[in-house]
Amino acid sequence: MLLGSATLCPAAPCPPEATFAAPYTVATSLPQRYVTTADLNRDGLPDLILSTTNSIEVHLAVRGANGLEYPLTYSQPTGAGATQIAVADLDSDGLQDLAVARDGGAVITFRGNGTGGVGDGTFEQRFSYDVGSAWGVVAADVDHDGVLDLVVSARTGLRFLRGLVANGRANLTFTIAKTLTTP
């Protein structure tokens, strides 16, 4: 994976000389399929969360001699076909959690580890939901009940997974609330 930085121009249109700086290569264990960013450990730096062909990887950003560096912090097998990753506090504990879509046939949730609302870049696999071949997943409060839900894009349509509550707060559990099929 290559990362770079760009010089932003103050007004559009940008001059043709606007270019990216030299790329920084992030080593991954397998070819990546999807990447997103979030500040998992609240240090103000964008951490990388990516899926490979059969795992997820977390690369916490650190300041190095030549700018930001992204060493591997955490890796977890997911089974075949990890695709998109949603990053959100799915259990209301102040830590970022993950929901991983799998083309191999599920959405898997991972609980973020850490203390005092500061994540350490590691996760504990929690639950797997059979939604068919899943390509994408996003977290949003779709039903406006104050609890994050998951919307999953699958080969045969959309699946809405309603976030459930235990002891007065979200707990990383979901139920399939609605399926919209496509031809």
Side-chain angles (χ1 to χ4, degrees):
M1 175 181 338
L2 297 176
L3 301 176
S5 60
T7 304
L8 300 177
C9 57
C14 289
E17 63 272 4
T19 59
F20 278 96
Y24 173 80
T25 301
V26 175
T28 60
S29 61
L30 294 167
Q32 73 275 356
R33 298 183 77 178
Y34 179 82
V35 64
T36 190
T37 62
D39 185 3
L40 298 175
N41 56 357
R42 294 192 179 181
D43 63 358
L45 302 176
D47 304 313
L48 300 177
I49 306 99
L50 58 98
S51 64
T52 70
T53 52
N54 63 4
S55 67
I56 57 168
E57 291 185 4
V58 174
H59 297 258
L60 292 183
V62 295
R63 293 194 190 279
N66 297 316
L68 294 182
E69 297 176 1
Y70 290 90
L72 177 64
T73 304
Y74 173 80
S75 180
Q76 175 71 39
T78 59
T83 55
Q84 190 172 1
I85 302 167
V87 182
D89 183 4
L90 300 173
D91 60 0
S92 303
D93 66 353
L95 300 171
Q96 298 293 330
D97 307 303
L98 307 176
V100 180
R102 284 187 48 235
D103 193 18
V107 168
I108 304 169
T109 58
F110 292 85
R111 184 179 184 276
N113 295 322
T115 56
V118 178
D120 63 11
T122 66
F123 295 84
E124 172 188 343
Q125 185 172 334
R126 299 295 289 181
F127 303 103
S128 179
Y129 299 93
D130 183 8
V131 294
S133 180
W135 292 348
V137 59
V138 295
D141 184 7
V142 177
D143 56 7
H144 302 285
D145 65 354
V147 177
L148 288 176
D149 308 300
L150 298 176
V151 181
V152 180
S153 171
R155 284 183 191 264
T156 58
L158 296 176
R159 309 287 189 272
F160 295 89
L161 281 68
R162 184 172 186 268
L164 301 178
V165 175
N167 300 320
R169 70 177 219 190
N171 63 357
L172 267 170
T173 58
F174 298 86
T175 186
I176 297 177
K178 186 169 184 110
T179 299
L180 299 176
T181 57
T182 56

